[in-house]
Amino acid sequence: MSAKIAARLVTQKRFLPLLVAQSLGAFNDNFFRYALVTLITFEGLTLFGLDRLTLVSVAASMFTVPIFLFSAVAGRMADKFDRTRIMRFAKFAEIWLMAITALGFILEQPHLLMTALFLMGTQSAFFTPAKNSALPTLLTDTELVPANALISGLLNVSVLIGIGTGTWLITQSFGPQAVGGGLVVMAIIGWLAIRQLPQAPASQPDMPLTVNFIGETIRVLGYALKAPAVLRPLMGVAWFWMLAASIITLMPVFTASVLGADETVVLLFSALFTVGAAIGAMACGALSGDGDALPFSIAGAFGVVIFAGDVALHTWSNPLTPESAPLVSANAFLAEPANLRILIDLGMAAVSAGLFVVPLQAMAQRRAPAELRGRLLAAGGILNAATATAGQFVLAAIAALTLPIQTAFLVIAAISLLAGLFILWRQSLRWRSPPDSPSR
């Protein structure tokens, strides 16, 4: 049933333009960020004398902090204005932001690149609540899980292509110019795509607007606290984004320092993680049918516990590779049989993460009341940014305390265990309650 719904959706104007624009935006985000991470990790780009793990964490935070700051105001706008109109404006702004980014790469100016990261985070803060609140307006309830599965699946493929292209292209002699030009072209195509999306009318057009982002953030989080049925899945989605942000930030340094491998192995791991997450998301969308998809989230949480934990245990005794030491390529890494376990762990952890997030995204969209939908789903954006930023601080703390880098995988496994146990407990309450009980 869900597979048929998904196949129908990709042919329809009320969904396809959004899918294309979202995917191209995800490509650009990771194309830019991994080009920058590669410059920091492998090409010696520095800022303020920070070490590479700390600088990579700072760069990641420059993207997530504005999402935390501005998502509440963006959510209010998503309830006041047509959601499609907001997305069109955000994608048009992305064209100019990518032009600034291109200039930063061509001039090799880290300050300009960090500024562009902050502005990109701001653009994402306004696009995401509009997108999330538009989906229940444009689609039916039974279409939400397949639609979110398609978005998550194609998003992960776009992330993979962005990571691979950014990591490889920036190291070429023409890299800065090619990366800059590619960013601008993808932004233009994304803007042309979103212009084809039908209107998604506002739910509260007469509501006053505010630019007090601090007060509005407090107010929006208050709405979420008063709607626990929406807040619970939002918290689960926020954990997924913390996991994804931590892996993206951690992987280049883990690969170079713990495994003694170069950027080709980073690409290999990135491919495994993003394809795995896409497989997990698409499998959930195809198999969930019209019934309850939360068992997929439970299985996904415990899968992350097992496989992320095993990455840490398997590599715990590895000696750190000096920064001046030669690094092995993907071919040499794959030739070592002991590394197969790492590949399986990362791939299965990604499949588990994809299974985990899709039911929770659809649940939050379905449960949010129409009159508050933009603001409640914006609370999800705030939580996503807060947890992703917290993940960067955890990584920075691990570096500052000189703890093994593998500690990050243990933290991921521990929080996943708590998430899985909580969802299992909530699901057990629903299984025990009568069909017409409010607890369901």
Side-chain angles (χ1 to χ4, degrees):
M1 174 67 74
S2 291
K4 292 180 180 178
I5 294 173
R8 184 176 70 245
L9 283 175
V10 296
T11 66
Q12 297 187 359
K13 192 175 180 180
R14 63 194 173 102
F15 178 70
L16 181 59
L18 190 153
L19 180 66
V20 172
Q22 168 74 35
S23 301
L24 291 175
F27 169 85
N28 259 4
D29 288 347
N30 289 276
F31 188 32
F32 173 18
R33 290 160 67 183
Y34 254 78
L36 180 57
V37 165
T38 301
L39 288 178
I40 294 169
T41 305
F42 298 105
E43 303 296 325
L45 183 71
T46 59
L47 182 65
F48 305 131
L50 297 173
D51 67 84
R52 57 187 179 182
L53 180 56
T54 302
L55 185 53
V56 167
S57 298
V58 169
S61 297
M62 291 297 290
F63 184 83
T64 56
V65 165
I67 298 175
F68 176 81
L69 292 177
F70 305 128
S71 284
V73 172
R76 193 175 186 90
M77 291 181 65
D79 282 336
K80 180 174 176 61
F81 300 109
D82 182 279
R83 285 85 184 243
T84 298
R85 181 182 176 189
I86 294 171
M87 288 188 281
R88 289 174 181 171
F89 181 83
K91 296 303 288 186
F92 183 72
E94 184 181 335
I95 298 172
W96 298 99
L97 297 182
M98 293 305 97
I100 295 173
T101 304
L103 187 62
F105 277 118
I106 293 170
L107 298 178
E108 298 182 357
Q109 178 52 257
H111 297 86
L112 192 56
L113 291 172
M114 291 295 182
T115 301
L117 265 180
F118 184 89
L119 294 175
M120 283 180 65
T122 303
Q123 183 264 354
S124 181
F126 283 88
F127 181 87
T128 302
K131 177 203 74 177
N132 286 334
S133 57
L135 281 172
T137 304
L138 297 168
L139 309 178
T140 65
D141 282 355
T142 57
E143 291 172 331
L144 284 176
V145 169
N148 278 282
L150 283 170
I151 290 173
S152 293
L154 191 55
L155 183 146
N156 279 288
V157 173
S158 301
V159 167
L160 171 61
I161 298 172
I163 288 172
T165 308
T167 301
W168 171 78
L169 198 56
I170 198 63
T171 61
Q172 309 304 307
S173 58
F174 53 87
Q177 295 82 1
V179 169
L183 288 169
V184 173
V185 169
M186 292 299 105
I188 292 172
I189 297 174
W191 173 66
L192 292 174
I194 203 65
R195 285 176 57 84
Q196 309 308 310
L197 190 70
Q199 291 184 341
S203 59
Q204 297 284 312
D206 298 327
M207 178 178 55
L209 201 57
T210 179
V211 294
N212 181 0
F213 61 88
I214 296 176
E216 189 63 17
T217 297
I218 295 171
R219 189 176 300 112
V220 163
L221 291 176
Y223 292 145
L225 288 172
K226 294 176 183 177
V230 180
L231 179 61
R232 287 192 294 269
L234 289 179
M235 290 292 293
V237 174
W239 162 239
F240 169 83
W241 287 110
M242 179 180 177
L243 167 65
S246 298
I247 291 295
I248 287 173
T249 303
L250 176 67
M251 198 52 64
V253 181
F254 172 77
T255 303
S257 299
V258 176
L259 303 179
D262 65 12
E263 63 269 22
T264 62
V265 178
V266 176
L267 285 176
L268 175 64
F269 288 163
S270 299
L272 270 176
F273 195 83
T274 51
V275 170
I279 290 172
M282 298 300 289
C284 179
L287 300 175
S288 61
D290 294 331
D292 187 4
L294 268 185
F296 291 96
S297 291
I298 297 169
F302 289 123
V304 173
V305 173
I306 294 168
F307 297 110
D310 194 57
V311 171
L313 296 176
H314 182 57
T315 62
W316 193 264
S317 59
N318 286 23
L320 286 180
T321 304
E323 292 193 19
S324 58
L327 303 176
V328 302
S329 67
N331 288 336
F333 183 84
L334 290 172
E336 177 55 54
N339 292 329
L340 178 62
R341 182 169 164 183
I342 299 175
L343 296 172
I344 293 173
D345 281 340
L346 289 174
M348 291 306 299
V351 171
S352 300
L355 288 172
F356 176 80
V357 72
V358 168
L360 300 176
Q361 288 174 323
M363 180 181 291
Q365 293 163 357
R366 185 168 55 246
R367 289 180 174 181
E371 67 275 9
L372 283 173
R373 185 173 290 143
R375 282 162 286 178
L376 281 173
L377 297 180
I382 295 169
L383 294 172
N384 294 347
T387 54
T389 303
Q392 308 312 314
F393 282 118
V394 169
L395 294 180
I398 289 171
L401 296 172
T402 65
L403 294 173
I405 295 174
Q406 297 93 320
T407 305
F409 289 102
L410 294 180
V411 173
I412 288 170
I415 301 179
S416 296
L417 177 61
L418 294 175
L421 290 173
F422 179 80
I423 298 172
L424 181 61
W425 172 67
R426 290 293 309 177
Q427 187 72 354
S428 69
L429 294 179
R430 299 178 69 197
W431 286 331
R432 293 200 299 267
S433 62
D436 58 347
S437 170
S439 67
R440 295 180 68 87

